[in-house]
Amino acid sequence: MASGDDLFRAVDKDKLPVHVAIIMDGNGRWAKQRGLPRIMGHKAGMEVIRNVVKMSSKLGIKFLTLYAFSTENWKRPGEEVNFLMRLLVEYLNREVEELNTNNVKITSIGRISELPQVAYEQLVRSMNYTAGNTGLTLNLALNYGGRIEILDAVNAVINDIKTGKLPVDVYIDKNIFSSYLYTASMPDPDLLIRTSGERRVSNFLLYQIAYTEMYFSDAYWPDFDDVEYLKAIIDYQNRHRRYGAI
């Protein structure tokens, strides 16, 4: 089996995906498999985020979007939700200095103002602190849902027409509409990775992934190491993207 170093050398640096998006799935099942509470799976998963961010920076990937907390995740038990919010604060507190040193810019998508105040304030501080960085953009999808994003964009367009920012007879093309999405400042994902063997997109970046290449890993998120990540990158590089053409 190839090592991480072997696979890193095999990556074609001229054919890197610009934007990688990841659905980090399987923390709970990883913990259950080991007779541990679900929250320990989330704790282990946080370490993997650290490694994936480092490898993305090392490769030279420009954007990394991580599906950290969906609008549907509020349905989980309160204890688990509270733990996830504390974990977010812990991650940002612990990592922001190193991320800043490594020129990583933190951004977020989703209805972040609805997060618990402590989590929201820590997120905003971290984004402001790293705002001037020009390396990897680490984009955290928090309280995010693809359908809600589209609805928010539609309502923002309607509001701008009502207030005169857009003419009443404006034709909304894909460029205008994309400018109202949470991801307006970044390109659509080139590669979407989902871990844990599940093969669905779970309300993630529904508009943006129209022509995204998808890679499904059987590894649970806490087991998603450099080898698994590099295998996904190399698999992507071996595909021919036609965008509907021949």
Side-chain angles (χ1 to χ4, degrees), residues 21-27 38 42 45-46 49 64-74 76 80-81 83-89 91-92 106-110 112 115 119 123 138-145 192-193 201-205 221:
I22 305 180
I23 301 173
M24 306 178 292
D25 194 21
N27 289 343
R38 285 176 57 84
H42 297 310
M46 187 173 75
I49 292 175
L64 175 66
T65 295
L66 302 179
Y67 203 5
F69 192 87
S70 77
T71 50
E72 289 74 33
N73 286 157
W74 297 109
R76 294 185 177 187
E80 183 174 345
V81 170
F83 182 83
L84 287 168
M85 291 299 126
R86 291 196 299 271
L87 208 56
L88 171 63
V89 173
Y91 173 79
L92 293 171
I106 300 171
T107 61
S108 64
I109 55 173
I112 63 169
L115 295 173
L123 177 62
L138 172 59
N139 184 41
L140 302 175
L142 293 159
N143 195 24
Y144 174 87
L192 171 65
I193 300 169
V201 297
S202 296
N203 199 21
F204 186 46
L205 300 175
W221 178 246

XYZ file of all heavy atoms in Angstrom, residues 21-27 38 42 45-46 49 64-74 76 80-81 83-89 91-92 106-110 112 115 119 123 138-145 192-193 201-205 221:
486
model
N -14.642 20.497 -1.242
C -15.678 20.535 -0.209
C -15.790 19.140 0.396
O -15.697 18.143 -0.320
C -17.011 20.972 -0.804
N -15.977 19.076 1.707
C -16.011 17.772 2.382
C -17.218 17.680 3.313
O -17.448 18.563 4.144
C -14.728 17.511 3.192
C -13.475 17.639 2.303
C -14.782 16.122 3.818
C -12.174 17.389 3.043
N -17.974 16.585 3.153
C -19.021 16.218 4.119
C -18.364 15.264 5.105
O -18.065 14.116 4.773
C -20.220 15.560 3.418
C -20.827 16.514 2.385
C -21.278 15.145 4.449
C -21.921 15.892 1.525
N -18.129 15.741 6.304
C -17.385 14.985 7.315
C -18.357 14.077 8.071
O -18.976 14.484 9.046
C -16.687 15.953 8.275
C -15.815 16.982 7.583
S -15.037 18.146 8.728
C -16.484 19.069 9.303
N -18.475 12.847 7.618
C -19.510 11.949 8.131
C -18.897 10.727 8.803
O -17.838 10.249 8.387
C -20.406 11.508 6.965
C -21.697 10.857 7.430
O -22.106 11.092 8.588
O -22.292 10.106 6.634
N -19.578 10.232 9.828
C -19.185 8.973 10.448
C -18.609 9.065 11.837
O -18.167 8.052 12.395
N -18.629 10.252 12.439
C -18.067 10.378 13.794
C -18.792 9.486 14.796
O -18.162 8.801 15.610
C -18.152 11.827 14.274
C -17.191 12.745 13.551
O -16.245 12.292 12.927
N -17.438 14.042 13.639
N -20.942 9.122 21.445
C -20.839 9.811 20.162
C -19.926 11.032 20.221
O -19.213 11.333 19.269
C -22.244 10.244 19.705
C -23.100 9.122 19.192
C -24.514 9.622 18.860
N -24.484 10.703 17.885
C -24.424 10.523 16.569
N -24.378 9.301 16.061
N -24.405 11.556 15.748
N -16.834 12.942 17.701
C -16.682 14.333 17.260
C -15.328 14.894 17.697
O -14.683 15.639 16.956
C -17.814 15.192 17.836
C -19.180 14.784 17.354
N -19.464 14.601 16.027
C -20.340 14.536 18.033
C -20.735 14.253 15.894
N -21.277 14.208 17.087
N -12.790 13.563 15.433
C -12.936 14.183 14.124
C -12.299 15.557 14.037
O -11.857 15.977 12.962
N -12.251 16.263 15.165
C -11.643 17.592 15.168
C -10.156 17.514 14.833
O -9.614 18.394 14.161
C -11.837 18.267 16.531
C -11.371 19.720 16.548
S -11.791 20.588 18.085
C -10.579 19.866 19.204
N -9.698 17.388 11.095
C -9.809 18.709 10.459
C -8.445 19.377 10.423
O -8.027 19.938 9.403
C -10.821 19.587 11.216
C -12.231 19.036 11.039
C -10.757 21.037 10.729
C -13.293 19.766 11.841
N -11.136 25.324 0.910
C -11.564 24.085 1.558
C -12.831 24.389 2.354
O -12.792 25.146 3.321
C -10.472 23.554 2.487
C -10.831 22.324 3.315
C -11.049 21.106 2.421
C -9.735 22.036 4.352
N -13.953 23.814 1.916
C -15.218 24.019 2.621
C -15.584 22.757 3.375
O -15.683 21.675 2.784
C -16.350 24.382 1.635
O -16.051 25.643 1.025
C -17.684 24.501 2.361
N -15.775 22.880 4.680
C -16.105 21.748 5.546
C -17.527 21.879 6.074
O -17.890 22.919 6.638
C -15.123 21.676 6.719
C -13.640 21.539 6.365
C -12.802 21.494 7.634
C -13.392 20.292 5.520
N -18.317 20.838 5.861
C -19.710 20.814 6.338
C -19.669 20.477 7.826
O -19.671 19.323 8.227
C -20.485 19.770 5.563
C -21.983 19.948 5.504
C -22.628 21.057 6.031
C -22.780 18.977 4.895
C -23.994 21.206 5.948
C -24.152 19.112 4.800
C -24.755 20.226 5.330
O -26.125 20.367 5.245
N -19.629 21.512 8.652
C -19.391 21.328 10.086
C -20.670 21.162 10.901
O -20.697 20.426 11.888
C -18.588 22.510 10.626
N -21.746 21.863 10.508
C -23.003 21.781 11.263
C -24.139 22.219 10.342
O -24.145 23.349 9.859
C -22.953 22.677 12.508
C -24.078 22.432 13.478
C -23.966 21.461 14.458
C -25.251 23.168 13.411
C -24.996 21.223 15.353
C -26.286 22.948 14.290
C -26.163 21.968 15.272
N -25.079 21.327 10.094
C -26.175 21.627 9.167
C -27.381 22.195 9.910
O -27.491 22.102 11.143
C -26.592 20.359 8.415
O -27.367 19.518 9.243
N -28.305 22.759 9.147
C -29.550 23.261 9.749
C -30.357 22.122 10.348
O -31.164 22.342 11.265
C -30.392 23.993 8.687
O -30.509 23.164 7.514
C -29.759 25.318 8.293
N -30.147 20.901 9.848
C -30.863 19.736 10.378
C -30.227 19.190 11.659
O -30.872 18.449 12.408
C -30.927 18.625 9.321
C -31.852 18.908 8.148
C -31.296 19.936 7.182
O -30.059 19.986 7.000
O -32.096 20.716 6.625
N -28.968 19.548 11.912
C -28.282 19.008 13.088
C -28.856 19.503 14.410
O -28.570 18.918 15.465
C -26.780 19.334 13.025
C -26.023 18.502 12.022
O -24.953 18.900 11.548
N -26.551 17.328 11.655
N -29.664 20.572 14.376
C -30.308 21.031 15.607
C -31.263 19.982 16.160
O -31.649 20.041 17.339
C -31.074 22.328 15.348
C -30.229 23.487 14.939
C -30.171 24.071 13.713
C -29.309 24.227 15.764
N -29.278 25.117 13.706
C -28.736 25.236 14.947
C -28.920 24.125 17.102
C -27.790 26.145 15.441
C -27.978 25.031 17.581
C -27.430 26.019 16.762
N -30.602 16.983 16.742
C -29.882 16.026 17.579
C -30.102 16.333 19.058
O -30.532 17.434 19.410
C -28.386 16.055 17.240
C -28.095 15.569 15.829
C -26.617 15.496 15.546
N -26.358 14.960 14.216
C -25.163 14.665 13.741
N -24.085 14.877 14.492
N -25.020 14.165 12.531
N -25.546 16.744 22.720
C -24.620 16.596 21.597
C -24.435 17.926 20.860
O -23.313 18.295 20.495
C -25.125 15.532 20.620
C -24.173 15.279 19.466
C -24.599 14.126 18.579
O -25.476 13.334 18.993
O -24.056 14.004 17.459
N -25.531 18.655 20.660
C -25.444 19.961 19.993
C -24.562 20.907 20.800
O -23.688 21.588 20.246
C -26.843 20.570 19.792
C -26.743 22.025 19.323
C -27.639 19.754 18.782
N -22.226 20.149 22.860
C -20.837 19.699 22.773
C -20.207 20.140 21.453
O -19.057 20.589 21.422
C -20.754 18.175 22.909
C -19.355 17.642 22.882
C -18.580 17.638 24.034
C -18.799 17.157 21.706
C -17.268 17.162 24.020
C -17.497 16.671 21.675
C -16.727 16.677 22.842
N -20.965 20.028 20.363
C -20.448 20.444 19.059
C -20.129 21.935 19.039
O -19.127 22.367 18.443
C -21.458 20.101 17.965
C -21.574 18.608 17.625
C -22.800 18.357 16.746
C -20.322 18.110 16.931
N -20.968 22.732 19.684
C -20.716 24.172 19.740
C -19.474 24.476 20.581
O -18.652 25.329 20.226
C -21.937 24.904 20.304
C -23.144 24.886 19.386
S -22.823 25.682 17.792
C -23.289 24.382 16.653
N -19.315 23.763 21.684
C -18.111 23.947 22.502
C -16.869 23.504 21.742
O -15.800 24.123 21.848
C -18.224 23.156 23.818
C -19.258 23.687 24.790
C -19.043 23.130 26.196
N -19.143 21.685 26.236
C -20.279 21.012 26.427
N -21.422 21.664 26.581
N -20.283 19.695 26.471
N -17.019 22.449 20.949
C -15.902 21.946 20.154
C -15.486 22.971 19.099
O -14.288 23.149 18.835
C -16.309 20.632 19.487
C -15.218 19.617 19.167
C -14.420 19.248 20.416
C -15.839 18.366 18.544
N -16.459 23.650 18.516
C -16.155 24.710 17.548
C -15.334 25.809 18.199
O -14.309 26.254 17.647
C -17.458 25.281 16.979
C -17.322 26.546 16.119
C -16.500 26.267 14.861
C -18.713 27.088 15.759
N -15.765 26.244 19.376
C -15.043 27.291 20.103
C -13.638 26.816 20.455
O -12.652 27.546 20.296
C -15.822 27.704 21.373
C -15.001 28.669 22.219
C -17.160 28.335 21.002
N -11.840 24.509 18.943
C -11.021 24.407 17.734
C -10.492 25.776 17.323
O -9.296 25.939 17.052
C -11.828 23.793 16.590
C -11.086 23.828 15.268
C -10.093 22.893 14.979
C -11.338 24.829 14.334
C -9.383 22.940 13.785
C -10.631 24.884 13.134
C -9.657 23.938 12.868
O -8.955 24.002 11.690
N -11.373 26.761 17.282
C -10.959 28.096 16.852
C -9.972 28.708 17.839
O -8.969 29.311 17.434
C -12.178 28.997 16.679
C -13.122 28.610 15.527
C -14.401 29.429 15.579
C -12.427 28.777 14.178
N -9.968 32.239 7.493
C -11.185 31.561 7.948
C -12.404 32.346 7.466
O -12.495 33.558 7.686
C -11.220 31.435 9.482
C -10.020 30.635 9.980
C -12.522 30.769 9.937
C -9.867 30.648 11.489
N -13.324 31.646 6.801
C -14.610 32.229 6.429
C -15.707 31.254 6.837
O -15.432 30.144 7.303
C -14.694 32.507 4.915
O -14.550 31.274 4.200
C -13.618 33.491 4.466
N -16.951 31.655 6.656
C -18.049 30.752 6.997
C -19.234 31.012 6.084
O -19.387 32.095 5.523
C -18.470 30.931 8.458
O -18.977 32.234 8.669
N -20.069 29.986 5.930
C -21.336 30.116 5.218
C -22.435 29.500 6.074
O -22.191 28.581 6.844
C -21.290 29.430 3.833
C -20.867 27.960 3.955
C -20.378 30.187 2.880
C -20.968 27.188 2.641
N -23.628 30.036 5.930
C -24.760 29.576 6.730
C -25.322 30.721 7.548
O -24.807 31.841 7.523
N -25.042 32.014 10.432
C -24.170 31.937 11.606
C -24.662 32.800 12.766
O -24.320 32.548 13.915
C -22.721 32.294 11.247
C -22.610 33.731 10.748
C -22.151 31.317 10.236
C -21.172 34.223 10.621
N -26.197 30.905 15.653
C -25.381 30.057 16.527
C -25.426 30.601 17.951
O -25.723 31.781 18.160
C -23.937 30.037 16.037
C -23.651 29.415 14.663
C -22.187 29.651 14.283
C -23.972 27.933 14.655
N -20.202 30.854 20.489
C -19.681 30.276 19.250
C -19.648 31.324 18.141
O -18.665 31.432 17.397
C -20.523 29.074 18.835
N -16.264 32.755 16.319
C -16.153 32.599 14.874
C -15.859 33.945 14.210
O -14.951 34.047 13.364
C -17.434 31.992 14.312
C -17.506 31.827 12.791
C -16.419 30.881 12.291
C -18.895 31.319 12.380
N -10.180 28.540 4.559
C -10.898 27.496 5.287
C -12.317 28.002 5.528
O -12.537 28.893 6.344
C -10.197 27.179 6.612
C -10.948 26.251 7.567
C -11.223 24.900 6.915
C -10.169 26.084 8.859
N -13.258 27.434 4.788
C -14.638 27.895 4.807
C -15.498 26.904 5.599
O -15.669 25.758 5.187
C -15.144 28.019 3.358
C -16.543 28.579 3.279
O -16.889 29.507 3.995
N -17.354 28.013 2.400
N -16.018 27.339 6.745
C -16.790 26.463 7.626
C -18.284 26.651 7.375
O -18.808 27.758 7.519
C -16.465 26.774 9.088
C -14.990 26.641 9.484
C -14.789 27.100 10.925
C -14.498 25.205 9.296
N -18.956 25.579 6.982
C -20.404 25.613 6.785
C -21.070 25.318 8.124
O -21.015 24.193 8.620
C -20.819 24.590 5.740
N -21.673 26.335 8.713
C -22.231 26.251 10.061
C -23.675 26.743 10.047
O -23.953 27.823 9.543
C -21.399 27.097 11.026
C -19.972 26.588 11.275
C -19.083 27.705 11.801
C -20.016 25.431 12.282
N -24.564 25.943 10.642
C -25.998 26.213 10.529
C -26.327 26.448 9.053
O -26.988 27.404 8.677
C -26.416 27.421 11.374
C -27.923 27.505 11.557
O -28.642 26.504 11.473
N -28.417 28.714 11.789
N -25.819 25.539 8.236
C -25.925 25.654 6.785
C -26.894 24.619 6.228
O -26.898 23.456 6.649
C -24.556 25.446 6.120
C -24.672 25.416 4.610
C -24.634 26.589 3.874
C -24.900 24.216 3.938
C -24.796 26.573 2.496
C -25.056 24.189 2.567
C -25.018 25.367 1.853
O -25.207 25.348 0.495
N -27.691 25.037 5.249
C -28.542 24.137 4.483
C -28.640 24.645 3.058
O -28.845 25.845 2.834
N -16.050 17.190 -4.413
C -16.810 16.983 -3.176
C -16.471 15.600 -2.649
O -16.628 14.600 -3.352
C -18.314 17.093 -3.437
C -19.228 16.685 -2.268
C -19.057 17.628 -1.085
C -20.685 16.634 -2.702
N -15.994 15.553 -1.410
C -15.668 14.287 -0.753
C -16.678 14.035 0.355
O -16.997 14.937 1.129
C -14.252 14.336 -0.142
C -13.193 14.586 -1.225
C -13.943 13.052 0.624
C -11.814 14.896 -0.666
N -25.767 13.812 -0.908
C -25.176 15.140 -0.696
C -25.756 15.854 0.521
O -25.214 16.876 0.954
C -25.308 16.024 -1.949
C -24.543 15.408 -3.109
C -26.766 16.248 -2.326
N -26.848 15.347 1.079
C -27.364 15.842 2.365
C -27.526 17.355 2.434
O -27.070 18.004 3.378
C -26.474 15.358 3.520
O -26.533 13.952 3.615
N -28.143 17.928 1.398
C -28.504 19.352 1.439
C -27.279 20.261 1.509
O -27.319 21.324 2.105
C -29.432 19.611 2.640
C -30.208 20.911 2.522
O -30.394 21.458 1.433
N -30.668 21.431 3.651
N -26.203 19.848 0.861
C -24.942 20.582 0.921
C -24.613 21.189 -0.439
O -24.461 20.470 -1.428
C -23.823 19.644 1.364
C -22.497 20.289 1.614
C -22.388 21.464 2.347
C -21.325 19.715 1.145
C -21.156 22.052 2.593
C -20.082 20.281 1.388
C -20.011 21.455 2.116
N -24.518 22.501 -0.498
C -24.083 23.219 -1.698
C -24.857 22.765 -2.943
O -24.268 22.511 -4.003
C -22.576 23.027 -1.910
C -21.671 23.524 -0.775
C -20.213 23.151 -1.057
C -21.799 25.024 -0.572
N -15.010 9.561 9.261
C -14.233 10.797 9.296
C -13.017 10.726 10.228
O -11.922 11.169 9.847
C -15.127 11.990 9.636
C -14.371 13.283 9.722
C -14.157 14.058 10.821
C -13.691 13.943 8.640
N -13.392 15.153 10.516
C -13.094 15.105 9.173
C -13.529 13.659 7.280
C -12.348 15.987 8.396
C -12.785 14.538 6.510
C -12.203 15.689 7.070
